[in-house]
Amino acid sequence: MKTKPKLYAVSLDLAFKPEEGWRLALEEALEPFGSALVSFEKDGGKAWHMEVIGEEKPSAAAVKAALKPFAGVKPIIGLVPDKDWLAESRKGLAPLKMGPFFVHGEHDRGKAPKNVIPLEIDAGMAFGTGRHETTSGCVKALLRLAKSQKFKRPLDIGTGTGILAFAAWHLFKVPVLAGDNDKDAVRVARENAAINGLKKQIRIVTSDGYRAAAIREGGPYDLVTANILANPLISLAPDLARNLARNGRAVLSGLLTAQEKDVLAAHQAVGLELDFRIRQNDWSVLVLKKAAKPIKKTKVAKKAAKKAR
């Protein structure tokens, strides 16, 4: 029998509900010490719990140094009990309302109020429960686009849990193609599609960006969503330009507002322009379209284009 690997956790219990920006910075400081991070409110919203879990025991000195900017925070480092810690952590996730969508875990199945679209999302080791500003911002962008446009060929790059692909299907009622370069994410997304009755409507493939044959051969796409990170967005800009239809829209996120300039410049360099943006705290969503005429490449655009290659 294969022995389960030991898991170590760095956990924090805060006796207050942290301010959003401070909390995000603290989560970012904890991320290097494990492969899965959970963060949720407790005691009716009066307190907060954070925990990062990994297979290597973090150095106490390194954790202390990383958390030095956060005065009064006292981390606990130790072995994780031999139990389904991921399932336990999900119990602390309350349902989330995003426009017409009611996003919930398995523990809240069947509890959706009337006149909403329930989406049961099991994150597992994938990204995208809707609680991060980038995910909810992308959903807001899709809702805004749905008011004035109809899309027939959507593509979700870096699908994670599949939440954006599911939202796109419910809003536009057309088959959605989704891809992720992480096999665990692909598995989780397929499981979520089945749970939500969308197994036939959402096709999920393993793909590094746009490289999978199904994605290369399925374009051009009139809607592309990509909630990943700033640097991958920059690197994929030429591929996006090649795969986006003339009147299509691309919803891009996973970037901080401070990174907008570089991400936008890389896409301007390949013939795309800004349609609108959504900002939530320090995070940004850029909605792009093909430029009506070639854009003069600025020094910033040239630098970003070079970086994208």
Side-chain angles (χ1 to χ4, degrees):
M1 179 182 289
K2 187 176 180 180
T3 304
K4 289 184 179 181
K6 290 183 178 180
L7 296 175
Y8 296 89
V10 180
S11 58
L12 299 173
D13 281 297
L14 307 177
F16 57 92
K17 184 174 181 178
E19 182 271 332
E20 189 78 7
W22 190 87
R23 174 179 64 79
L24 291 172
L26 181 53
E27 290 174 0
E28 187 175 351
L30 284 172
E31 281 181 355
F33 300 106
S35 56
L37 184 141
V38 294
S39 177
F40 54 86
E41 65 180 33
K42 62 179 189 175
D43 297 336
K46 297 178 181 179
W48 204 272
H49 178 80
M50 292 185 191
E51 191 169 26
V52 64
I53 299 170
E55 294 185 13
E56 295 184 11
K57 185 177 182 179
S59 159
V63 173
K64 183 179 179 181
L67 300 183
K68 187 176 180 180
F70 306 93
V73 170
K74 296 180 180 180
I76 296 175
I77 302 173
L79 274 171
V80 177
D82 187 13
K83 62 180 180 180
D84 189 347
W85 56 268
L86 196 57
E88 291 295 315
S89 69
R90 287 199 292 265
K91 291 179 182 178
L93 296 177
L96 179 70
K97 184 78 161 52
M98 289 193 302
F101 301 108
F102 181 81
V103 183
H104 64 90
E106 181 182 1
H107 53 285
D108 284 310
R109 183 181 294 171
K111 298 180 182 179
K114 294 181 179 179
N115 302 318
V116 298
I117 301 171
L119 290 178
E120 183 175 320
I121 300 296
D122 176 9
M125 290 296 183
F127 174 80
T129 62
R131 285 165 174 79
H132 197 277
E133 285 87 344
T134 58
T135 310
S136 60
C138 285
V139 172
K140 287 181 179 179
L142 290 176
L143 290 169
R144 178 170 168 178
L145 288 170
K147 291 179 180 179
S148 59
Q149 293 181 252
K150 292 183 179 180
F151 298 99
K152 296 181 179 179
R153 198 181 292 267
L155 170 68
D156 185 26
I157 292 293
T159 195
T161 61
I163 188 170
L164 295 182
F166 305 158
W169 185 86
H170 280 290
L171 291 173
F172 307 112
K173 292 294 192 295
V174 293
V176 181
L177 179 59
D180 202 293
N181 63 1
D182 184 278
K183 291 183 179 179
D184 285 330
V186 170
R187 174 184 55 79
V188 169
R190 287 173 176 170
E191 290 172 355
N192 284 334
I195 289 169
N196 287 278
L198 297 174
K199 189 175 181 179
K200 294 182 179 180
Q201 293 88 338
I202 313 288
R203 184 182 179 188
I204 303 161
V205 300
T206 302
S207 182
D208 184 4
Y210 298 79
R211 293 183 181 178
I215 293 177
R216 293 198 316 270
E217 297 166 5
Y221 303 94
D222 54 4
L223 175 64
V224 176
T225 53
N227 183 17
I228 42 180
L229 293 169
N231 285 338
L233 288 174
I234 289 172
S235 298
L236 291 172
D239 288 333
L240 171 59
R242 282 191 291 270
N243 284 278
L244 186 65
R246 171 58 60 183
N247 295 316
R249 294 293 184 275
V251 178
L252 309 182
S253 195
L255 63 141
L256 295 163
T257 55
Q259 297 170 318
E260 279 185 10
K261 185 177 180 180
D262 287 342
V263 173
L264 186 55
H267 289 84
Q268 288 176 329
V270 292
L272 302 180
E273 65 181 3
L274 183 67
D275 187 8
F276 64 88
R277 78 186 83 203
I278 294 174
R279 288 174 173 171
Q280 298 191 132
N281 295 309
D282 296 327
W283 299 93
S284 177
V285 177
L286 300 178
V287 178
L288 308 180
K289 61 181 180 179
K290 289 209 169 180
K293 57 183 179 179
I295 297 175
K296 183 179 180 181
K297 292 186 179 181
T298 63
K299 290 182 179 180
V300 174
K302 290 178 180 178
K303 183 178 179 181
K306 184 177 180 181
K307 185 176 181 181
R309 290 196 294 270

